[in-house]
Amino acid sequence: MFYELVATLFAGFAMAGVVMLLNHATRGRLPKWAMPVGAGLAMIAATIANEYAWYDRTVDAMPEGLSVIMKHENRAIYRPWSYAVPFVDRFVAVDDLTERTHPEHPNLRIVETLFMGRWAAPEKLIVLVDCATMKRAQLMDEVSFGDGGSVDGVSWIASDQDDPLIAHVCATGAGS
């Protein structure tokens, strides 16, 4: 966030300098409001460019083994350009390297998911996926595991194959 602020301020100062040079080249013919308007427009353009570049920068910086399974595109009335080209402001990724199964229950898979937001700290959630019944559940403190790999105290969420988490885990899992 700090670097984006610095980049935005730098864009404003740079455009103010360009307008000053143009004013000098035209021997003072530009109106006095040209410099602040030019600087303001450059700062707005830099802010918009940072918002559109956030998703690609974040995904490129992710370590090996993380797969983006869902992304949210933002449109807002105070950003009219986002109706033409929406930008991604949050997404969900699965850490494929953390997938675990039990030999006696190959259809049950545990994976870590990351919830990433534009202005939010990443949140990690451990999820249990049952590929046989197309259900998933968050693993919380109340969950217990038996010796044979059975799971107790789970609140299952029924879903179908359209659920991106279940589709990804069951398609790429160790039991497939």
Side-chain angles (χ1 to χ4, degrees):
M1 186 163 129
F2 175 73
Y3 294 115
E4 291 179 11
L5 176 64
V6 170
T8 302
L9 292 175
F10 181 77
F13 283 121
M15 183 55 80
V18 168
V19 172
M20 278 179 46
L21 289 173
L22 286 173
N23 195 34
H24 181 69
T26 60
R27 296 190 178 123
R29 292 189 182 138
L30 291 180
K32 295 202 182 283
W33 53 262
M35 186 184 310
V37 168
L41 290 174
M43 292 170 74
I44 290 171
T47 301
I48 292 170
N50 277 327
E51 287 200 335
Y52 279 94
W54 171 81
Y55 172 72
D56 292 327
R57 269 194 329 259
T58 304
V59 170
D60 290 344
M62 289 189 327
E64 199 69 31
L66 285 175
S67 302
V68 175
I69 60 165
M70 195 173 6
K71 56 186 177 180
H72 178 266
E73 292 182 339
N74 191 329
R75 291 178 178 89
I77 191 85
Y78 54 89
R79 293 180 182 121
W81 56 87
S82 66
Y83 285 97
V85 182
F87 64 95
V88 177
D89 65 343
R90 61 184 183 256
F91 65 92
V92 179
V94 174
D95 189 350
D96 295 324
L97 301 177
T98 64
E99 183 175 313
R100 297 178 298 275
T101 60
H102 192 278
E104 293 181 31
H105 299 278
N107 287 323
L108 292 180
R109 301 185 182 142
I110 297 174
V111 293
E112 291 181 6
T113 58
L114 290 172
F115 294 84
M116 307 286 284
R118 172 88 166 99
W119 297 109
E123 292 184 32
K124 181 169 53 170
L125 181 66
I126 300 174
V127 179
L128 175 65
V129 176
D130 186 347
C131 294
T133 61
M134 304 306 282
K135 297 186 296 187
R136 62 183 164 89
Q138 298 177 14
L139 290 185
M140 307 302 251
D141 292 335
E142 308 85 44
V143 176
S144 62
F145 293 92
D147 291 335
S150 63
V151 184
D152 297 317
V154 175
S155 297
W156 290 103
I157 299 170
S159 187
D160 56 16
Q161 288 184 339
D162 292 338
D163 185 313
L165 176 62
I166 293 174
H168 177 78
V169 171
C170 294
T172 62
S176 298

